Amino acid sequence: MELLEFARGPALKVALVVFCFGVLWRLVGTVLLRYHRHLSEPRDGYFKAFMLGLLVGGSRSWPHKQYIKRTGYGEALGYAYHIGLFIVILFFAPHVLFIKSLFGVSWPTLPSGIVTIIAVLTFTLLLAVLFRRLAHRVLRRLSNFDDYFSWFVTTLVIVTGLMATAHFGARYETLLAWHILSFDLLLIWYPFGKLMHAFYIFPSRIINGYFLARKGAPS
Amino acid sequence: MSAQSVNTTTAGRVRAMPADLQGDLSNRARVERAMQSFALEYGSLTAFRLESCIHCGICADACHYYIATEDPQYTPILKVEPFKQAYKRESGPYAVFFKLFGLKRRVSADELENWQHLLYDSCNMCGRCSLICPMGINISELIEQTRHAMFDAGLAPAELYAKAKHQQHSGQPEASKEPYRDMLLAIGRQYKVEIPMDKDQAEVMLCVPRTDIEHYPKSVAALARVMQHLGVSCTFRSDGLVAENYGYYAGGREWQRKISMRLINEALACHAKTLIVPECGHAYTALRWEAAELYGKPLPFRVRHVTEYLAGQLQTGRLKLRKAGNGAVTFHDPCQLVRKGGVMDAPRQLMQALGLDLHELENNKAFSFCCGGGGGVLDIQRAAPLRYRAMESKLREVDDSGAQTFLTSCSDCRATFDDAKAHFNWEQTPHSLLELVADNLG
């Protein structure tokens, strides 16, 4: 079996199974734990608290202005590479074709030159993110294997993708196989590490927002 | 008894700090107790919080301990790291995976001892970090849960442990020359106001911070005077006088419950419809938001902070106030009332009714910095040097406000600022909003 066949055949299938079951297991393992009832009298009723909680799901995407002077750079960096990743993943024609082959849905794409430029920028931003994690005293102290490995698998997909696009370093089929294998690796790691934040971010914000709103506290 | 050790964790090196220990437990027993206690509090909410952290470190930028020192060990989420580690290793969805590949080490007793400094001395449980977290993690609640685990493992600071122990037993956090009941009645005589005591039936039950009894008796008199002016049937109860709850500070759940139950039982005994929490921030959290959970069912009476109650009386027209002067004032928002309690508008409504020219602090309302004394930190002697560093920016904000009068509505905050006044020769004096209200009844 050719490497490319393996990458987009059995390896991808295994990776997708691990991803789906892994994500489900972690979410279920979190949701199905005990829930303590809150018995104190809510300030303005449950419905208002719930609606405000939903609002926090979105509003926490933008930092309160009181904090922005200290956090603006890190947050801008975070936003920038996330946006870059989204564009590259969702608007590169071969990716859309790949998604269509899996799920049968497709959408308009961006010219490959533009996507390539964005991918290079995203890679540069990811390097900046790593540098910042190593250089910033708080980030360095907090960081563990998960932080670095999650960065590695994300960056690897971008790097192999750029190599495949540029036909750099090996035959195109081999480069494409590496790219798909790196994506398989990302899918397999996904449920175990911090990449799962994509699934946790909104429930976590909404829950916190609800409990603050229940007290009438600002959120 | 104290221990000192240094160790390295997955979160990095933590500076050795002397730790207070209670009981004669082996290291293993201490760790097991901490983990069992933490496991007791695991629930879906806690799991969501522990699972969601992306190690972005932004919470550090909300914490006055980090801002003042730039020391990364004061990053709020790092303060719960051993418990995050234990959760992932022992009971998270992938505990087996983490153990198998050795990705999360077993938490050690040394590690827990070193974390005492981070969980108690350098955290006011003020919740400012919980407003900055992009993942929406309520870090201050995690800190509260980890304090429970530390307490159960015999790892609470000596001062908080001693006061909680005394209070759960006697109702007072420490011995006094006279019983608080007699001191309260003496305050009434001194300030010529009737102190309603031990009535069988009253619409409102009152309690007081012991800080006020001992340091700010005028505040006690102010509470009685305002209630008398309103003509509301109210009473203090000898067996439920103290508003503070050192069980909450120390992390002793059972003691917190016992201390809260004194007040709950007294409120039930006098058939009170409302329990008024005086100017004390953490008493508000303990009674308004946590007492029902410890009682096991909804409280059959309302719990209101005194400023909330008085603002309500303003709206109904029962409370009328005179204008209190022309000078500029500024106001410190106690964290437990505003950020963790939702009492933000009531003090401002009272200040408006008093005709005060309010100059808000640079960081106000939900974003107010803690006074530095919250979470029991004011009581921990070894924490004082760090506390002074952390609160410097707050003192600057008060100075920069240009106000001649500095008000707050929490006696612990007031005591912390008074302590800072002595330490720094600070020119400002913190005053009680309640006292100002009582001095200007219409």
Side-chain angles (χ1 to χ4, degrees):
Chain A
M1 188 186 284
E2 289 284 319
L3 187 63
L4 182 56
E5 269 180 70
F6 170 73
R8 61 183 169 196
L12 180 62
K13 278 186 188 142
V14 169
L16 281 169
V17 168
V18 171
F19 173 81
C20 292
F21 280 96
V23 165
L24 201 65
W25 179 261
R26 189 156 162 193
L27 287 175
V28 166
T30 315
V31 172
L32 289 189
L33 288 171
R34 285 175 305 126
Y35 180 78
H36 298 282
R37 269 192 70 202
H38 285 67
L39 301 163
S40 58
E41 171 204 357
R43 185 174 295 280
D44 295 313
Y46 296 100
F47 180 72
K48 188 176 174 189
F50 178 69
M51 295 311 287
L52 285 169
L54 283 181
L55 209 64
V56 174
S59 66
R60 197 55 78 87
S61 302
W62 192 251
H64 294 291
K65 68 175 190 297
Q66 286 82 354
Y67 298 127
I68 215 163
K69 243 192 273 178
R70 293 189 64 92
T71 64
Y73 172 69
E75 287 181 297
L77 201 57
Y79 262 108
Y81 85 80
H82 275 87
I83 291 168
L85 285 173
F86 277 118
I87 292 173
V88 172
I89 293 166
L90 296 177
F91 295 103
F92 188 42
H95 292 167
V96 176
L97 279 176
F98 178 71
I99 291 166
K100 191 178 180 187
S101 72
L102 285 176
F103 305 109
V105 288
S106 67
W107 48 83
T109 59
L110 286 170
S112 66
I114 290 177
V115 177
T116 305
I117 291 168
I118 291 171
V120 170
L121 284 174
T122 306
F123 171 64
T124 313
L125 288 166
L126 280 165
L127 287 179
V129 164
L130 178 66
F131 177 76
R132 185 164 181 267
R133 187 163 283 282
L134 292 166
H136 192 289
R137 52 169 74 87
V138 169
L139 291 173
R140 195 169 60 241
R141 170 64 72 88
L142 283 173
S143 297
N144 58 20
F145 175 81
D146 180 12
D147 296 300
Y148 293 113
F149 195 68
S150 295
W151 177 90
F152 171 73
V153 293
T154 309
T155 309
L156 191 64
V157 180
I158 289 277
V159 170
T160 54
L162 280 169
M163 287 170 74
T165 309
H167 296 234
F168 175 77
R171 281 174 56 228
Y172 175 71
E173 287 75 13
T174 310
L175 292 169
L176 186 59
W178 288 355
H179 182 51
I180 296 174
L181 281 172
S182 64
F183 176 61
D184 295 342
L185 179 65
L186 182 142
L187 285 179
I188 290 170
W189 173 246
Y190 198 100
F192 302 102
K194 66 188 276 189
L195 297 175
M196 268 294 285
H197 74 277
F199 287 91
Y200 280 121
I201 186 164
F202 293 108
S204 174
R205 286 176 180 179
I206 291 167
I207 290 167
N208 188 29
Y210 167 76
F211 282 107
L212 287 171
R214 195 177 172 281
K215 294 178 178 180
S219 50
Chain B
M1 195 175 166
S2 78
Q4 194 159 0
S5 54
V6 176
N7 75 304
T8 304
T9 72
T10 51
R13 187 164 286 275
V14 170
R15 191 174 312 140
M17 289 286 169
D20 295 327
L21 307 177
Q22 292 89 40
D24 197 18
L25 297 169
S26 68
N27 282 346
R28 191 178 170 158
R30 229 175 259 287
V31 172
E32 272 175 17
R33 275 207 194 177
M35 293 309 131
Q36 275 167 11
S37 169
F38 195 61
L40 268 182
E41 304 221 5
Y42 282 164
S44 197
L45 284 182
T46 307
F48 256 100
R49 288 170 183 148
L50 295 169
E51 294 280 1
S52 297
C53 180
I54 52 170
H55 283 177
C56 68
I58 281 177
C59 50
D61 288 308
C63 176
H64 57 174
Y65 288 103
Y66 175 72
I67 293 171
T69 63
E70 299 275 308
D71 185 336
Q73 73 171 335
Y74 299 129
T75 303
I77 197 69
L78 184 73
K79 295 172 185 174
V80 297
E81 188 60 30
F83 297 88
K84 201 141 72 74
Q85 195 173 310
Y87 160 79
K88 292 205 168 175
R89 183 190 155 88
E90 307 297 339
S91 60
Y94 291 117
V96 175
F97 168 79
F98 281 115
K99 266 187 198 169
L100 194 67
F101 294 101
L103 291 177
K104 298 286 171 198
R105 283 192 312 101
R106 189 186 289 277
V107 174
S108 71
D110 282 351
E111 210 169 339
L112 291 181
E113 283 176 31
N114 288 335
W115 246 264
Q116 190 181 93
H117 170 68
L118 302 184
L119 284 167
Y120 289 94
D121 304 16
S122 60
C123 182
N124 299 110
M125 298 202 294
C126 77
R128 202 168 185 270
C129 51
S130 306
L131 276 187
I132 202 174
C133 176
M135 294 298 293
I137 303 169
N138 194 329
I139 302 169
S140 70
E141 290 213 358
L142 286 175
I143 299 265
E144 193 178 335
Q145 289 174 353
T146 52
R147 279 193 180 193
H148 293 164
M150 293 289 279
F151 179 91
D152 289 346
L155 286 164
E159 296 93 332
L160 300 185
Y161 182 85
K163 285 180 178 166
K165 187 177 182 183
H166 202 283
Q167 192 179 6
Q168 61 88 27
H169 175 69
S170 70
Q172 298 187 187
E174 52 200 352
S176 53
K177 285 180 200 161
E178 294 174 75
Y180 282 167
R181 177 186 185 278
D182 296 347
M183 290 173 78
L184 230 63
L185 294 173
I187 289 169
R189 288 192 293 276
Q190 183 189 347
Y191 287 90
K192 298 185 174 43
V193 61
E194 186 202 340
I195 301 288
M197 185 68 73
D198 291 332
K199 288 187 187 171
D200 291 336
Q201 190 127 10
E203 190 183 323
V204 171
M205 182 175 136
L206 305 169
C207 53
V208 279
R210 63 106 213 192
T211 315
D212 282 358
I213 301 176
E214 289 173 1
H215 303 293
Y216 306 117
K218 193 183 169 194
S219 269
V220 179
L223 179 60
R225 195 180 306 283
V226 170
M227 296 307 288
Q228 194 177 47
H229 175 81
L230 289 171
V232 179
S233 151
C234 62
T235 186
F236 289 98
R237 300 278 297 185
S238 304
D239 290 332
L241 275 180
V242 178
E244 284 109 327
N245 192 322
Y246 272 90
Y248 168 76
Y249 279 159
R253 263 170 303 194
E254 181 49 27
W255 288 358
Q256 181 183 344
R257 193 189 67 78
K258 277 181 81 174
I259 293 164
S260 290
M261 283 309 297
R262 276 180 182 273
L263 288 152
I264 293 170
N265 287 334
E266 290 305 312
L268 292 173
C270 68
H271 310 286
K273 292 191 180 73
T274 305
L275 170 63
I276 291 188
V277 180
E279 289 190 309
C280 179
H282 86 272
Y284 186 73
T285 295
L287 289 165
R288 175 69 174 90
W289 301 114
E290 299 195 357
E293 271 73 39
L294 298 169
Y295 182 50
K297 51 189 173 185
L299 296 176
F301 50 84
R302 291 171 302 182
V303 178
R304 295 290 180 269
H305 187 255
V306 62
T307 56
E308 261 182 308
Y309 184 81
L310 295 180
Q313 298 296 316
L314 264 182
Q315 280 168 4
T316 60
R318 284 176 81 178
L319 177 65
K320 290 192 169 46
L321 297 173
R322 296 196 307 265
K323 301 298 175 198
N326 297 320
V329 303
T330 194
F331 181 74
H332 163 68
D333 285 287
C335 316
Q336 302 285 335
L337 292 180
V338 177
R339 200 158 36 238
K340 295 180 81 176
V343 183
M344 188 157 68
D345 298 331
R348 285 171 177 77
Q349 286 162 3
L350 291 171
M351 286 186 279
Q352 194 180 18
L354 287 164
L356 300 177
D357 176 20
L358 175 62
H359 290 213
E360 292 281 10
L361 295 174
E362 184 187 342
N363 288 281
N364 56 64
K365 299 178 184 168
F367 304 98
S368 168
F369 278 107
C370 177
C371 63
V377 175
L378 182 61
D379 292 271
I380 305 171
Q381 286 187 8
R382 66 181 182 216
L386 181 63
R387 175 165 56 81
Y388 291 133
R389 278 186 79 181
M391 70 187 300
E392 276 182 46
S393 62
K394 183 83 200 190
L395 304 185
R396 265 196 305 275
E397 280 191 16
V398 176
D399 289 339
D400 292 347
S401 72
Q404 289 92 49
T405 307
F406 175 37
L407 294 172
T408 189
S409 56
C410 167
S411 59
D412 272 0
C413 296
R414 193 177 173 191
T416 306
F417 287 120
D418 266 333
D419 178 71
K421 182 183 173 70
H423 180 78
F424 291 109
N425 286 323
W426 192 43
E427 288 178 1
Q428 290 280 1
T429 302
H431 295 285
S432 148
L433 176 58
L434 175 62
E435 287 179 26
L436 197 63
V437 168
D439 286 345
N440 293 281
L441 295 169

